[in-house]
Every structure is written in structure tokens, then in C-alpha cells.
């Protein structure tokens, strides 16, 4: 039976990424060695890193004056590296979920954290708007896509630089990198396996802090050594490169956005139509194109477990909602083919007919 991978992260990868990784696990770039057992300073691996960086720049139209890094430690380490390097006295944070909250907790070690708005009052089921960002904040930190709650935000227009956690929607749509001092993303949602963290940082924003920054946590260390200050996660970076190539071959982020809008549209339409299900995000413009969260309607609440089993038996994997939201979450990242979304929609329709 075909498996449809709706896991939130680690999550679905393009077939070609997995094939190329499998190949390189045994014979990388004609070396006769595994990609796991060659030096990160070999010319073959340096070429992987260089091409991955170049493709990130090309796909996201990264302007001059920005550095692209592949680090380790996940997005969670970026929660502290961001303020360590960029927050002098005060930074503004938009509190849109648990990940945002965790990033605020780390920023608190470095100065004053101004929470400009929060959607915690409604289990983060909307994106706050019309908040005021203090003009003297060093940056506004946002989480562009809230993986757990199924909300996603448009690029805000504010007078301070942006710092963004894009772990779960990077490469899903075009963005204006020039608005940001820093963008970071754990690879394991939309790019590759866990173990690599993509960072795009504005060079000019660095070096302004008076505090000393430990070597490994200073972006300048990694810029200077081109992500090879210490051993990079070679296999994950290799995998990220394969996804980046796939992205380019498939029309880049503009084409991804178009398909993502279509895929999510089909699923949201069914959730809105089907009498048994409802979205957890009432405001339509706040609904994520990446993580579609939904629950049973009150009338059919008792059938939650039954639908889970029904859908699982049809090959739908990873659709259980996060424990803080309940219900279901279908993560439909770039690599998810429309057929899998259609299969889930068909299962929902079939289930409706059984009641
Ligand atoms: C998954 C996720 C994280 C955590 O990433 P790690 O790489 O596990 O540290 C942070 N932010 C968002 C938005 C996520 O989806």
C-alpha cells in the first residue's frame, strides 16, 4: 500500500533526495567511499557545501552582504545565537506559539524582551495583527509558520529589522531577504534530515555587541570559515543540496508557492465542507500552507479515534495533531505530492459516508 507521509518533522523529502543519499552512502562523487567517511575538507565535500550555499542564494534571491551558513544545533540553538549576536539591550518578539515562547526564553538571558503581541489566549490559533514594535528594539523576532498550530504569517512591514524562525516554511514561498537581519531554519521540515540548520545572516548586523561571544556561538566564526569551523554535518548537508537541486529543477520557490496554495486549498475546502471536520484556525488568511490542523466538529467528536484508524489503514501516516491542539495535523511540505493530499481528502469523504 502507498504510504502518505504527513509527519510534521522530520518529514517528507523528495524521492530524488533519498535516492541520491542512498547512492552517496556507498559511493560519494565517484570516490568509492561513503559521504559519511570522507573529509569535510575533501574537494568533493567542499563542492557540496559551495553548491548548497550558492543554491540557497539563488533560490531565495539573497542580496549581496548576506552570508549563508549550514550549522548544527537546530533552530533551538538559534533561539540563543540570535540574541547573543544581535540584541544589544532590547528586542521585540511576536508570541505566536511554543517555538516563539522558547525563543523569548533564551532572549531573556541577554536583555529586555518586549512581547509585542500574543495569541496564547486562544491556543495560538491566529496571528496577532496591529501590534506596535518599539522603535528602539534591535529587531522583531517572528515565527513565520507555527508548525504546531497551523498558522502562518505574511511578511510584516515594520521599522526595525526582522529576525525569523522559518523552520517549517522556508522555500515554500518567495521572501524579501533584505527585510531581515537573520533567517534561520532547522532543515528537517522542508529541506533535509535533522542535523543541519540553515542560517542567512546580514553581515553588517554583526559585530555591534559589546558582550564577548563564545567562538562557536558567534556567527562571524562560521562566516569566516564558510561553515567549516568545526566538522559540519556532512550527510545532512549533502541531503539538503539534493533538495535544493530538486527545488531549482521544479521552478524554485515561486512554483512551490503555487503548488502549495493549490494543495492546501484542496484540503481546507474539504475541511470546511465536510460536516465531520473543522479547521482549528478560524481566520482564513492565518491558515498555514504547510501544516493543516483540524479537529472533529463537536457533533462528531466521538469519532476522532475511529477516523485516525480509518485513515491510518489507508496509508496516512503522521496525521495525529500535536497534543496541545488535539485532532489532526496534515503536514504538506514542498515534497508532498498533490496525490497524497487528494488521498487524504478522499479518506475524509469516504469516512463521512459511513456515518
Ligand atoms: C521544529 C521547529 C523548531 C525546533 O527545531 P529544532 O531544529 O528541533 O531545534 C523551531 N521552530 C519551528 C517553527 C519548528 O517548526
Amino acid at each position: 500500500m502507498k504510504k502518505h507521509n504527513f509527519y510534521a518533522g522530520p518529514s517528507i523529502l523528495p524521492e530524488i533526495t533519498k535516492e541520491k543519499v542512498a547512492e552517496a552512502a556507498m559511493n560519494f562523487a565517484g570516490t568509492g567511499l561513503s559521504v559519511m567517511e570522507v573529509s569535510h575538507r575533501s574537494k568533493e565535500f567542499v563542492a557540496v557545501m559551495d553548491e548548497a550555499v550558492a543554491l540557497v542564494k539563488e533560490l531565495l534571491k539573497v542580496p549581496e552582504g548576506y552570508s549563508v551558513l549550514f550549522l548544527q544545533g537546530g533552530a533551538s540553538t538559534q533561539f540563543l545565537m540570535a540574541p547573543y549576536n544581535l540584541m544589544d539591550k532590547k528586542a521585540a518578539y511576536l508570541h505566536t506559539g511554543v517555538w516563539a515562547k522558547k525563543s523569548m526564553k533564551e532572549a531573556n538571558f541577554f536583555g529586555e524582551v518586549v512581547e509585542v503581541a500574543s495569541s496564547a489566549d486562544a491556543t495560538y490559533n491566529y496571528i496577532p495583527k496591529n501590534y506596535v514594535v518599539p522603535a528602539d528594539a534591535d529587531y522583531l523576532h517572528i515565527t513565520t509558520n507555527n508548525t504546531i498550530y497551523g498558522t502562518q504569517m505574511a511578511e510584516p512591514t515594520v521599522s526595525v529589522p526582522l529576525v525569523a524562525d522559518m523552520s517549517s516554511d522556508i522555500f515554500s514561498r518567495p521572501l524579501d531577504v533584505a527585510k531581515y537581519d537573520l533567517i534561520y531554519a532547522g532543515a528537517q521540515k522542508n529541506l533535509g534530515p535533522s542535523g543541519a540548520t540553515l542560517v542567512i545572516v546580514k553581515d553588517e548586523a554583526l559585530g555591534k555587541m559589546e558582550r564577548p561571544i563564545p567562538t562557536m556561538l558567534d556567527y562571524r566564526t562560521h562566516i569566516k570559515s564558510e561553515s567549516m569551523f568545526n566538522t559540519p554535518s556532512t550527510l545532512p548537508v549533502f541531503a539538503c543540496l539534493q533538495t535544493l537541486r530538486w527545488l531549482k529543477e521544479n521552478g524554485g520557490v515561486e512554483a512551490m508557492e503555487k503548488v502549495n496554495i493549490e494543495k492546501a486549498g484542496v484540503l481546507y475546502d474539504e475541511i470546511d465542507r465536510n460536516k465531520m471536520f473543522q479547521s482549528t484556525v478560524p481566520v482564513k488568511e492565518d491558515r498555514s500552507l504547510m501544516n493543516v490542523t483540524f479537529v472533529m466538529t463537536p457533533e462528531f467528536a466521538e469519532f476522532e479515534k475511529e477516523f485516525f484508524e480509518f485513515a491510518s489503514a489507508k496509508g496516512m501516516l503522521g496525521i495525529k495533531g500535536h497534543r496541545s491542539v488535539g485532532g489532526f495535523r496534515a503536514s504538506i511540505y514542498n515534497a508532498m505530492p498533490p496525490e497524497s493530499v487528494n488521498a487524504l481528502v478522499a479518506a475524509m469523504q469516504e469516512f463521512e459516508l459511513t456515518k
Side-chain angles (χ1 to χ4, degrees):
M1 185 189 26
K2 169 135 182 63
K3 304 285 186 191
H4 304 282
N5 183 357
F6 292 97
Y7 278 111
S11 41
I12 189 167
L13 291 169
E15 286 300 314
I16 188 77
T17 297
K18 294 183 283 181
E19 283 166 19
K20 294 287 180 187
V21 169
E23 230 174 81
M26 295 311 291
N27 182 5
F28 165 55
T31 56
L33 303 176
S34 169
V35 65
M36 291 175 277
E37 54 181 8
V38 299
S39 168
H40 57 296
R41 303 202 187 276
S42 66
K43 69 174 189 318
E44 290 84 2
F45 186 77
V46 170
V48 167
M49 185 64 92
D50 289 349
E51 188 184 343
V53 168
L55 278 175
V56 170
K57 288 185 173 171
E58 182 182 336
L59 288 163
L60 296 180
K61 300 190 172 70
V62 177
E64 286 293 308
Y66 282 79
S67 297
V68 172
L69 307 170
F70 283 92
L71 305 182
Q72 299 184 60
S76 299
T77 300
Q78 295 307 307
F79 295 165
L80 72 104
M81 278 180 77
Y84 222 144
N85 286 266
L86 298 172
M87 175 181 184
D88 187 14
K89 293 199 172 60
K90 184 194 278 190
Y93 277 71
L94 186 60
H95 182 187
T96 54
V98 159
W99 297 120
K101 193 174 179 185
K102 288 184 174 170
S103 68
M104 291 163 69
K105 181 172 176 228
E106 299 310 304
N108 259 309
F109 285 102
F110 302 97
E112 186 191 347
V113 174
V114 179
E115 180 185 280
V116 293
S118 167
S119 50
D121 57 342
T123 325
Y124 305 111
N125 72 359
Y126 67 100
I127 301 288
K129 306 197 178 92
N130 303 319
Y131 44 83
V132 178
V133 180
D136 60 347
D138 293 317
Y139 58 79
L140 170 68
H141 182 284
I142 57 173
T143 312
T144 50
N145 184 74
N146 297 283
T147 325
I148 296 174
Y149 314 94
T151 62
Q152 188 173 21
M153 64 187 287
E155 250 168 24
T157 303
V158 290
S159 58
V160 302
L162 292 170
V163 169
D165 177 358
M166 295 194 186
S167 291
S168 51
D169 69 349
I170 192 141
F171 299 113
S172 71
R173 58 182 181 180
L175 69 136
D176 182 4
V177 176
K179 283 183 166 183
Y180 300 82
D181 271 3
L182 173 70
I183 293 167
Y184 61 87
Q188 70 274 16
K189 310 279 164 57
N190 221 359
L191 188 56
S194 57
T197 312
L198 177 64
V199 168
I200 304 170
V201 62
K202 188 176 189 172
D203 302 327
E204 225 180 46
L206 301 172
K208 294 181 176 166
M209 299 301 107
E210 273 175 37
R211 71 172 70 91
I213 304 174
T215 313
M216 269 296 280
L217 300 179
D218 190 332
Y219 291 118
R220 289 170 301 177
T221 302
H222 303 289
I223 293 172
K224 215 170 116 196
S225 57
E226 301 184 333
S227 300
M228 300 233 192
F229 174 73
N230 70 323
T231 318
S233 53
T234 49
L235 179 72
V237 172
F238 177 86
C240 289
L241 171 61
Q242 308 315 312
T243 305
L244 291 163
R245 284 179 176 169
W246 174 85
L247 278 165
K248 183 173 169 177
E249 271 160 31
N250 286 279
V253 291
E254 291 78 12
M256 286 301 134
E257 181 181 45
K258 195 164 162 278
V259 178
N260 288 332
I261 288 171
E262 284 168 16
K263 280 184 323 198
V266 167
L267 188 46
Y268 283 118
D269 282 351
E270 176 59 18
I271 292 166
D272 290 340
R273 184 208 62 79
N274 194 311
K275 66 176 187 288
M276 304 192 74
F277 302 99
Q278 65 187 40
S279 167
T280 65
V281 182
V283 180
K284 286 192 179 172
E285 66 174 23
D286 294 346
R287 290 178 178 178
S288 170
L289 300 183
M290 298 280 97
N291 311 97
V292 178
T293 50
F294 56 102
V295 291
M296 309 304 292
T297 50
E299 198 188 336
F300 293 96
E302 64 194 286
F303 298 114
E304 180 172 309
K305 186 158 173 274
E306 196 181 321
F307 176 69
F308 179 77
E309 278 157 14
F310 181 86
S312 300
K314 291 182 178 301
M316 312 295 152
L317 299 183
I319 60 167
K320 211 180 191 64
H322 190 271
R323 61 189 181 282
S324 59
V325 181
F328 305 97
R329 169 173 55 176
S331 297
I332 54 173
Y333 298 115
N334 284 344
M336 164 76 62
E339 301 77 61
S340 288
V341 175
N342 296 341
L344 176 59
V345 165
M348 292 163 76
Q349 291 171 347
E350 218 182 294
F351 190 66
E352 186 186 28
L353 292 177
T354 67
K355 301 297 158 201

